[in-house]
């Protein structure tokens, strides 16, 4: 019986660890490919976010990171939810894959919201 509960606890813990932790749980966003990828070497990672509209706010996994043009250095490799927003424009949401040892550049075009 003790083994059964141990296995049950292990399954519950692993389900929590592998569950999606995004605030947008269950929502999928289009995958955005970088315009350019440059090799920085092991231990270094950066992404540069640009847009056609100045002062668009940049969010990674729901956290405000700054406004475009924005460069983020030494972030962990993996998938991120990227959101760009500015008042009067349609918000854009994407999934990006950050690669270790690379500098990646993204350009997002925001469209004016029709009233």
């Amino acid at each position: 019986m003790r083994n059964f509960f141990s296995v049950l606890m292990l399954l519950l813990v692993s389900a929590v660890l592998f569950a999606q932790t995004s605030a947008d749980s269950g929502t999928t966003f289009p995958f955005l490919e970088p315009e350019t990828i440059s090799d920085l070497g092991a231990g270094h990672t950066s992404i540069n976010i640009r847009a056609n509209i100045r002062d668009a706010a940049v969010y990674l996994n729901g956290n405000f990171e700054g406004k475009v043009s924005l460069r983020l250095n030494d972030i962990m490799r993996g998938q991120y939810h990227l959101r760009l927003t500015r008042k009067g424009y349609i918000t854009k949401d994407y999934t990006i894959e950050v690669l270790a040892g690379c500098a990646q550049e993204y350009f997002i075009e925001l469209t004016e919201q029709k009233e």
Side-chain angles (χ1 to χ4, degrees):
M1 191 65 148
R2 183 180 298 196
N3 286 341
F4 173 76
F5 287 115
S6 297
V7 170
L8 183 60
M9 286 301 291
L10 181 63
L11 289 173
L12 288 173
V13 168
S14 56
V16 168
L17 289 175
F18 291 108
Q20 187 175 6
T21 58
S22 166
D24 301 310
S25 183
T27 305
T28 58
F29 302 106
F31 189 79
L32 182 64
E33 293 285 344
E35 284 189 332
T36 60
I37 300 177
S38 306
D39 186 21
L40 289 178
H44 299 285
T45 302
S46 76
I47 60 172
N48 189 30
I49 311 295
R50 298 180 308 114
N52 62 321
I53 304 300
R54 271 192 11 214
D55 297 332
V58 177
Y59 294 84
L60 273 183
N61 289 347
N63 298 314
F64 177 73
E65 298 293 340
K67 295 187 177 183
V68 294
S69 289
L70 176 68
R71 182 183 183 101
L72 300 171
N73 294 310
D74 298 325
I75 64 174
M76 299 290 291
R77 71 178 179 89
Q79 283 193 349
Y80 289 85
H81 170 207
L82 171 65
R83 170 175 279 181
L84 259 69
T85 184
R86 184 162 187 243
K87 186 175 181 176
Y89 291 83
I90 298 171
T91 297
K92 295 284 183 113
D93 289 285
Y94 296 101
T95 297
I96 61 170
E97 180 79 27
V98 175
L99 305 174
C102 294
Q104 297 166 246
E105 187 164 329
Y106 297 91
F107 180 81
I108 292 96
E109 190 156 332
L110 295 176
T111 308
E112 209 168 341
Q113 222 168 18
K114 304 234 191 282
E115 307 251 345

